[in-house]
Amino acid sequence: MPHPNDPSLRSFIPVDPSSDFPIQNLPYGVFSAADSSKPRVGVAIGEFVLDLAVLEDEGLLDLSPAYEVFAQPSLNAFMALGPAVWSRTRAAISALLREDNPRLRDDKPLRGRALLPRQDVTLHLPFRVAGYTDFYSSKEHATNVGVMFRGKDNALQPNWLHMPIGYNGRASTVVVSGTNVRRPRGQLKPPSADVPSFGPCKRLDFELEMGVVIGQPSRLGEMLTEAQAEAMIFGFVLLNDWSARDIQQWEYVPLGPFQAKAFATSISPWVVTREALEPFRIAGPVQDPVPLSYLQQKNAQNYDLALDVGLRAAGSNNAQSICRTNFKYMYWSSVQQLMHHASSGCAMSVGDLLGSGTISGPEKHQRGSLLEISWNGTEPIELDGGVKRSFLEDGDSLVMRGWCQGNGYRVGFGDVEGTIVAAD
Ligand code: MN
């Protein structure tokens, strides 16, 4: 049987070459249909969602001895079954969708129940977020921010090249694409003011990131090898780490971001599996100095994954591209972030979400936040119709896309979109 990643595979469902969801992808999500039935797990294929609860009920997915893992409003139960089951299930789904397999293709009643037009379903948060940690692992991003606030000579803090820097964020405010984002309120103290005031954020920003979805736990007190860390990664989502720059600037000393990041984090509705991204693995930048031994990795742990950010200004109908970059630039890999996270003895849980940190590249058009794009508001960008932006205004929508380009197909994530609504 061919591997589910085989580029020659075709589904009986027609899939446009520009679709994010060919048979080589098969990302997992949680959806509900118009009949208001309960949210359940599905897989995106072309313009359809494949209802895995229906397939499981028909006995077409060998998940024994597990029971009803897909008739649930989150992926957590399935993820908890581990990498061997993830792989076996993906192979079974791939086989059922192949153009040369009559089992589902020729069973019209079953097809009618199991394949729903994607436009007719509502997508939900795909997994129960156990914990959310956000990193700061793009050297270009950290350097840009450092130059802005500390000058060229002290851009990178002395610890940055020695470990993936991060902070513990809020799991409670991770939302699925399409959820409106209310402008946060907080303490503001611009350098010109003597005392702080409380009010709506004036410097609302996005951060282009990828999120790692942890599918297996680690034990309290135990460190992880590279192979163990890799095996715990179920998949990836696109992630927007919305950020209130003015709140952040006043609050972040000495413990780092707090309320500036706590109000919302948006993720894509589809979790693309680590296995589906396998053909797009690529070595990351050379790490100098060589990391301490607990952080060393032997395998290529980055991904050649194109990223695009569009900004649809309030009142406009089209999103204009304001950033095009690639996940491959990340200095610290997701595997290193996970090894570092567990290195103290910190236990990881099924459903943990690790944000990569803002993904910027070496070029100006590759900057993954408005803070960098507008250089802290000093160089506003001009959009169609003469509209200028330094930061996000009420009614603005941000749309992120990400995909790995194969030969004649792409493995993508769908959009992550969010619209800013007024603070009150
Ligand atoms: Mn971030």
Side-chain angles (χ1 to χ4, degrees):
M1 203 160 84
H3 190 275
N5 289 345
D6 189 327
S8 71
L9 288 186
R10 293 290 175 270
S11 174
F12 61 82
I13 309 240
V15 180
D16 191 88
S18 67
S19 168
D20 279 342
F21 309 123
I23 193 170
Q24 288 82 4
N25 189 349
L26 306 178
Y28 293 96
V30 168
F31 74 98
S32 57
D35 59 7
S36 77
S37 57
K38 287 178 184 162
R40 53 206 187 263
V41 176
V43 153
I45 175 79
E47 296 299 313
F48 290 86
V49 173
L50 180 65
D51 188 332
L52 296 189
V54 168
L55 297 188
E56 186 181 14
D57 200 41
E58 289 285 319
L60 292 172
L61 303 172
D62 174 21
L63 287 160
S64 60
Y67 178 66
E68 288 200 341
V69 293
F70 291 131
Q72 300 205 22
S74 82
L75 279 164
N76 297 54
F78 175 58
M79 295 197 294
L81 299 177
V85 176
W86 307 340
S87 199
R88 202 169 74 216
T89 304
R90 183 163 177 266
I93 296 165
S94 172
L96 282 169
L97 288 169
R98 276 169 51 181
E99 62 181 357
D100 57 355
N101 183 352
R103 180 65 189 83
L104 178 60
R105 187 191 67 194
D106 296 348
D107 187 337
K108 272 202 172 153
L110 181 59
R111 272 179 69 165
R113 285 194 296 131
L115 282 162
L116 307 167
R118 214 150 32 80
Q119 61 187 29
D120 294 347
V121 307
T122 302
L123 295 168
H124 303 276
L125 198 66
F127 59 100
R128 208 167 51 247
V129 183
Y132 168 49
T133 306
D134 194 38
F135 286 90
Y136 188 59
S137 289
S138 153
K139 193 177 176 184
E140 290 83 3
H141 171 70
T143 303
N144 284 339
V145 174
V147 168
M148 253 179 265
F149 294 108
R150 286 184 300 277
K152 219 167 190 159
D153 297 333
N154 305 298
L156 283 187
Q157 298 281 11
N159 55 10
W160 200 93
L161 290 167
H162 297 279
M163 62 177 156
I165 301 298
Y167 66 93
N168 286 299
R170 291 294 302 174
S172 62
T173 38
V174 177
V175 296
V176 73
S177 171
T179 308
N180 286 343
V181 173
R182 184 165 297 277
R183 180 175 296 275
R185 297 167 290 262
Q187 278 204 22
L188 312 170
K189 196 188 99 50
S192 56
D194 293 331
V195 291
S197 59
F198 185 85
C201 157
K202 293 186 177 70
R203 294 180 159 234
L204 184 53
D205 200 355
F206 72 90
E207 287 188 342
L208 169 63
E209 303 194 18
M210 296 298 300
V212 174
V213 183
I214 303 299
Q216 287 286 281
S218 70
R219 277 195 219 98
L220 191 67
E222 274 192 11
M223 294 178 72
L224 298 172
T225 64
E226 179 184 5
Q228 287 169 330
E230 203 179 305
M232 286 166 62
I233 296 175
F234 175 73
F236 291 80
V237 289
L238 269 175
L239 185 150
N240 183 349
D241 180 30
W242 303 95
S243 299
R245 298 301 179 196
D246 40 7
I247 297 172
Q248 186 176 359
Q249 197 176 355
W250 170 232
E251 76 174 3
Y252 88 106
V253 179
L255 286 184
F258 186 41
Q259 295 302 308
K261 306 276 194 170
F263 58 96
T265 304
S266 299
I267 62 170
S268 59
W270 299 109
V271 182
V272 175
T273 60
R274 176 170 50 83
E275 188 178 280
L277 295 179
E278 197 65 25
F280 307 99
R281 270 166 92 131
I282 190 173
V286 173
Q287 296 184 316
D288 180 21
V290 172
L292 294 173
S293 60
Y294 81 100
L295 281 171
Q296 286 173 16
Q297 55 187 15
K298 289 196 182 76
N299 298 328
Q301 297 290 8
N302 282 32
Y303 295 94
D304 183 2
L305 196 164
L307 295 160
D308 180 279
V309 181
L311 172 56
R312 187 167 58 241
S316 169
N317 286 324
N318 61 316
Q320 264 180 269
S321 178
I322 58 170
C323 164
R324 275 173 182 274
T325 187
N326 196 300
F327 192 33
K328 72 182 177 186
Y329 295 120
M330 297 309 279
Y331 188 86
W332 296 104
S333 75
S334 305
V335 164
Q336 287 178 315
Q337 291 173 339
L338 185 49
M339 289 195 288
H340 182 63
H341 210 322
S343 65
S344 61
C346 171
M348 304 305 296
S349 305
V350 175
D352 275 343
L353 175 65
L354 312 187
S356 61
T358 308
I359 304 163
S360 293
E363 306 294 331
K364 210 170 172 178
H365 68 274
Q366 295 176 320
R367 294 171 175 174
S369 65
L370 278 168
L371 177 70
E372 295 163 271
I373 294 170
S374 76
W375 209 252
N376 199 20
T378 60
E379 300 170 19
I381 47 167
E382 192 163 326
L383 304 168
D384 285 349
V387 174
K388 286 193 176 168
R389 284 291 184 275
S390 290
F391 293 97
L392 297 167
E393 300 196 0
D394 293 345
D396 285 357
S397 301
L398 204 88
V399 189
M400 293 176 174
R401 294 184 308 136
W403 66 92
C404 296
Q405 187 64 53
N407 188 5
Y409 68 96
R410 59 167 54 167
V411 172
F413 290 77
D415 294 353
V416 182
E417 180 165 354
T419 299
I420 308 302
V421 297
D424 29 45

